[in-house]
């Protein structure tokens, strides 16, 4: 049964529906990528301060992170609950898509710039909408408690949450509410039950060729200054040896059981105009997504060996810098039930004729016959957590406890945590057809198609938060389960401590927008090659 506070929260979201839509589009247009979300983070900070929150900027030593608090003075004391929520707002390089029904980058940019794929633009505003609705209900009904809202940059490299966790930003919470737009079936309009996301390690191997003039010289004499003389292979060769040897060993680095992946990205060093000199610096980033920490350690050890040998062969020294070390997730059925009840009362999102018309236009633009009902049926119906769990586990061995990847998992070791999904707009496809990637990106930016998800998610966040604030017995059940699963809570016998033993990796050459005499652009010039000829 809905409480008066719940009705106030829902009314608040209804009243601010237009604001949520506009805010979602704002973050979508920023399209800033990992560790460089300057405008996006500042936007959140200014809005939250305007709403009366105390905001710490640069939390955890991360310039684009923040931590906001608001406490209702009415009746709040040291034992009043603290409820956690958060925003993500990083985009992905190479996915710059306009909010339109055809493939085109956002105005003034090229396709190589950042764009929202998941979309975190809508994820963050959904949680923000739930946060502000909860605050409004607490104020109107005199509810005691504190709201904590963290800004989490660089989720795509699982960057901020291991750092926030290690520095205590999730400690003391009665519950953490984690939302993500659905990205795989059956996790659509449901809540995770037992099988939470797994562990992940990410690191950058930096190869530095400090003294190329001494390479290969047994007599200690310097290499003659000649284009035809012997020269050190240098950092680029080290990187390529690392890249190829790691690819060739990939099939042998892990047991063939469970879901796991290793992916890499080459970070550029801007050496294109120095072809006659050995590269002095080259960097390659790896992301390891595995069910267990032991598997991550196994892969990391193999990559370390490859990097050491590649450096030795090419006249370089090697440095390893951590991007993330995150733990697998911890289930909490009590929190899942609280959140599922909230989602069930709200219902699945629905798309109206305006949204369907845009979807049909996209279908026509990719060469398909437009469908009367273009959206996946799963997007407009709920699936019970236990049912989704059973489907998810059909492809997993019984021994595998965690699957796929997301860094909310670090939160789950510090507070009872629920992870829920609401359908983002996804289109039906004829058998054998796959939509190009820009389609999902565009659907995440058009108000008609993304707003239904934002509104359902915001309502669910608010109702789950209010349940934790109002229902002490439900709150106690969640905490009791957390204590039991960790063997005594934080520091308990079954608790996994934070793995973060590194500084925020903010100094690397992460791609970003720059302003030059040519104007504001991505790291690749905006003009197409044919336009410059």
């Amino acid at each position: 049964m809905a409480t008066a506070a719940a009705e106030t929260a829902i009314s608040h979201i209804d009243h601010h529906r237009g604001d949520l839509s506009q805010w979602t589009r704002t973050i979508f247009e920023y399209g800033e990528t990992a560790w460089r979300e300057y405008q996006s983070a500042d936007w959140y900070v200014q809005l939250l301060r305007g709403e009366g929150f105390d905001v710490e900027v640069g939390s955890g030593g991360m310039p684009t992170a923040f931590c906001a608090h608001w406490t209702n003075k009415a009746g709040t004391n040291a034992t009043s609950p603290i409820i956690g929520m958060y925003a993500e707002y990083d985009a992905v390089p190479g996915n710059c898509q306009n909010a339109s029904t055809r493939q085109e980058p956002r105005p003034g940019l090229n396709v190589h710039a950042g764009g929202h794929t998941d979309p975190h633009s809508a994820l963050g505003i959904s949680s923000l909408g739930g946060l502000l609705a909860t605050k409004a209900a607490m104020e109107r009904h005199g509810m005691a408690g504190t709201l904590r809202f963290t800004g989490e940059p660089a989720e795509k490299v699982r960057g901020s949450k291991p750092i926030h966790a290690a520095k205590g930003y999730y400690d003391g919470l009665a519950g953490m509410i984690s939302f993500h737009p659905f990205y795989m079936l059956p996790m659509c309009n449901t809540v995770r039950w037992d099988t939470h996301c797994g562990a992940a390690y990410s690191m950058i191997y930096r190869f530095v060729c400090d003294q190329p003039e001494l390479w290969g010289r047994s007599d200690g004499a310097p290499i003659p200054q000649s284009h035809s003389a012997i020269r050190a292979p240098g950092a680029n060769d080290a990187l390529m040896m690392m890249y190829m040897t790691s690819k060739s060993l990939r099939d042998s680095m892990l047991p063939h059981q469970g879901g796991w992946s290793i992916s890499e990205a080459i970070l550029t060093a801007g050496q294109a105009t120095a072809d006659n000199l050995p590269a002095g610096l080259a960097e390659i980033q790896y992301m390891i997504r595995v069910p267990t920490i032991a598997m991550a350690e196994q892969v990391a050890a193999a990559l370390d060996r490859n990097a050491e040998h590649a450096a030795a062969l090419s006249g370089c020294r090697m440095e390893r810098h951590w991007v993330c070390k995150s733990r697998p997730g911890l289930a909490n059925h009590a929190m899942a039930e609280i959140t599922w009840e909230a989602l069930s009362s709200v219902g699945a999102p629905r798309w109206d004729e305006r949204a369907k018309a845009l979807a049909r236009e996209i279908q026509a633009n990719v060469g398909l016959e437009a469908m009367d009902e273009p959206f996946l049926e799963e997007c407009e119906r709920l699936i019970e957590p236990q049912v989704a769990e059973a489907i998810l586990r059909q492809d997993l061995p019984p021994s595998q406890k965690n699957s796929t990847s997301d860094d909310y998992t670090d939160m789950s070791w510090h507070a009872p945590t629920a992870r829920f999904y609401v359908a983002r707009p996804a289109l039906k496809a004829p058998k054998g057809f796959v939509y190009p990637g820009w389609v999902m990106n565009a659907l995440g930016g058009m108000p008609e198609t993304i707003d239904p998800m934002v509104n359902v998610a915001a309502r669910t966040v608010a109702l789950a938060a209010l349940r934790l604030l109002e229902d002490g017995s439900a709150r106690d059940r969640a905490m009791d389960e957390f204590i039991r699963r960790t063997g005594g809570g934080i520091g308990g016998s079954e608790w996994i401590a934070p793995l973060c033993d590194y500084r925020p990796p903010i100094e690397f050459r992460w791609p970003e927008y720059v302003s030059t005499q040519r104007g504001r652009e991505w790291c690749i010039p905006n003009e197409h090659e044919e336009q410059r000829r």
Side-chain angles (χ1 to χ4, degrees):
M1 180 179 294
T3 66
E7 292 175 354
T8 296
I10 297 301
S11 177
H12 184 275
I13 292 170
D14 285 339
H15 182 71
H16 290 277
R17 183 188 296 261
D19 291 331
L20 296 177
S21 178
Q22 180 184 341
W23 298 346
T24 300
R25 183 63 180 269
T26 295
I27 304 300
F28 179 88
E29 292 294 336
Y30 286 157
E32 296 172 300
T33 53
W35 302 116
R36 300 294 185 258
E37 312 94 334
Y38 304 114
Q39 288 181 286
S40 302
D42 184 66
W43 182 92
Y44 274 99
V45 168
Q46 299 309 319
L47 185 139
L48 288 164
R49 284 176 171 166
E51 291 287 340
F53 283 77
D54 293 323
V55 186
E56 175 192 355
V57 177
S59 53
M62 299 174 283
T64 54
F66 62 82
C67 183
H69 282 91
W70 177 83
T71 298
N72 192 7
K73 305 303 181 184
T76 296
N77 54 52
T79 62
S80 298
I82 307 172
I83 309 302
M85 311 168 204
Y86 64 91
E88 295 169 9
Y89 32 82
D90 60 319
V92 181
N95 283 270
C96 181
Q97 169 60 37
N98 198 18
S100 68
T101 60
R102 64 181 183 275
Q103 185 176 17
E104 59 180 4
R106 300 193 307 281
L109 296 167
N110 62 57
V111 70
H112 301 290
H116 285 280
T117 54
D118 271 351
H120 290 172
S121 47
L123 182 162
I125 299 303
S126 298
S127 296
L128 177 66
L131 173 82
L132 298 180
T134 304
K135 173 178 176 284
M138 293 173 68
E139 288 178 314
R140 180 168 180 179
H141 300 280
M143 299 171 61
T146 295
L147 302 178
R148 183 183 300 169
F149 193 72
T150 52
E152 306 287 355
E155 190 280 331
K156 285 298 185 182
V157 292
R158 297 183 69 147
S160 67
K161 299 188 189 77
I163 295 170
H164 270 154
K167 293 182 179 294
Y169 284 87
Y170 309 136
D171 293 349
L173 296 175
M176 171 63 80
I177 303 167
S178 172
F179 160 66
H180 199 285
F182 117 87
Y183 61 93
M184 67 175 187
L185 296 175
M187 309 311 292
C188 182
N189 300 321
T190 193
V191 186
R192 278 196 180 266
W193 192 245
D194 281 318
T195 307
H196 282 256
C197 292
Y201 279 19
S202 179
M203 67 282 279
I204 292 172
Y205 291 99
R206 171 180 281 176
F207 299 101
V208 185
C209 190
D210 290 315
Q211 294 182 300
E213 67 277 7
L214 299 181
W215 183 83
R217 304 291 296 190
S218 60
D219 58 3
I223 297 173
Q225 293 298 309
S226 169
H227 287 238
S228 60
I230 183 174
R231 72 175 189 180
N236 281 350
D237 287 65
L239 184 147
M240 291 309 299
M241 282 188 277
M242 177 67 179
Y243 177 81
M244 294 307 299
T245 53
S246 297
K247 272 192 174 295
S248 67
L249 286 175
R250 185 169 294 177
D251 289 342
S252 304
M253 277 195 287
L254 283 173
H256 288 274
Q257 67 179 36
W260 61 273
S261 68
I262 310 169
S263 56
E264 64 280 306
I266 295 173
L267 305 182
T268 58
Q271 298 156 169
T273 60
D275 65 284
N276 64 321
L277 299 175
L281 173 69
E283 297 168 340
I284 186 168
Q285 173 195 347
Y286 284 90
M287 172 65 82
I288 309 162
R289 296 177 172 92
V290 287
T292 69
I293 295 171
M295 294 171 78
E297 291 283 351
Q298 182 182 11
V299 181
L303 292 177
D304 283 352
R305 290 193 296 270
N306 288 353
E308 289 165 1
H309 288 295
L313 286 167
S314 55
C316 296
R317 59 183 173 85
M318 180 272 287
E319 301 171 358
R320 184 190 63 190
H321 300 269
W322 288 107
V323 177
C324 86
K325 293 167 73 175
S326 63
R327 296 163 281 183
L330 180 69
N332 192 294
H333 291 173
M335 280 293 295
E337 288 170 348
I338 290 168
T339 309
W340 171 245
E341 289 176 14
L343 178 58
S344 298
S345 69
V346 175
R350 296 285 186 271
W351 282 270
D352 60 20
E353 187 55 37
R354 296 177 305 148
K356 292 176 183 178
L358 291 172
R360 296 184 194 112
E361 192 173 322
I362 289 175
Q363 290 179 323
N365 286 340
V366 297
L368 295 179
E369 184 177 345
M371 303 175 184
D372 291 338
E373 296 296 331
F375 293 104
L376 285 176
E377 286 89 351
E378 290 88 347
C379 290
E380 295 191 336
R381 65 181 181 225
L382 303 177
I383 179 171
E384 294 182 3
Q386 295 89 336
V387 175
E389 171 77 13
I391 296 172
L392 181 66
R393 293 219 56 94
Q394 287 176 358
D395 296 325
L396 300 177
S399 61
Q400 184 175 340
K401 304 302 182 185
N402 298 86
S403 177
T404 193
S405 179
D406 196 287
D407 63 349
Y408 77 91
T409 54
D410 266 287
M411 298 170 163
S412 70
W413 293 96
H414 296 262
T417 300
R419 172 70 161 185
F420 79 98
Y421 302 88
V422 175
R424 59 176 299 179
L427 303 183
K428 295 177 184 175
K431 186 176 181 179
F433 181 84
V434 177
Y435 285 98
W438 69 264
V439 171
M440 289 290 275
N441 299 351
L443 289 168
M446 294 187 289
E448 296 85 352
T449 55
I450 196 61
D451 286 358
M453 183 206 78
V454 172
N455 282 281
V456 167
R459 285 168 164 75
T460 304
V461 168
L463 294 182
L466 289 170
R467 175 76 182 281
L468 287 169
L469 288 165
E470 292 187 286
D471 189 341
S473 61
R475 193 168 64 240
D476 290 343
R477 285 194 299 273
M479 185 57 70
D480 289 345
E481 182 176 350
F482 175 76
I483 292 171
R484 174 175 57 80
R485 288 182 181 269
T486 54
I490 295 176
S493 59
E494 301 299 319
W495 186 67
I496 300 177
L499 304 175
C500 176
D501 54 0
Y502 50 88
R503 294 171 48 251
I506 57 177
E507 73 276 12
F508 289 93
R509 300 177 186 207
W510 305 105
E512 62 184 320
Y513 300 95
V514 296
S515 295
T516 70
Q517 290 183 340
R518 296 185 300 273
R520 182 176 183 268
E521 60 185 32
W522 189 242
C523 56
I524 300 173
N526 291 334
E527 284 188 310
H528 295 294
E529 180 63 30
E530 59 270 19
Q531 291 175 312
R532 294 198 296 269
R533 292 174 180 167

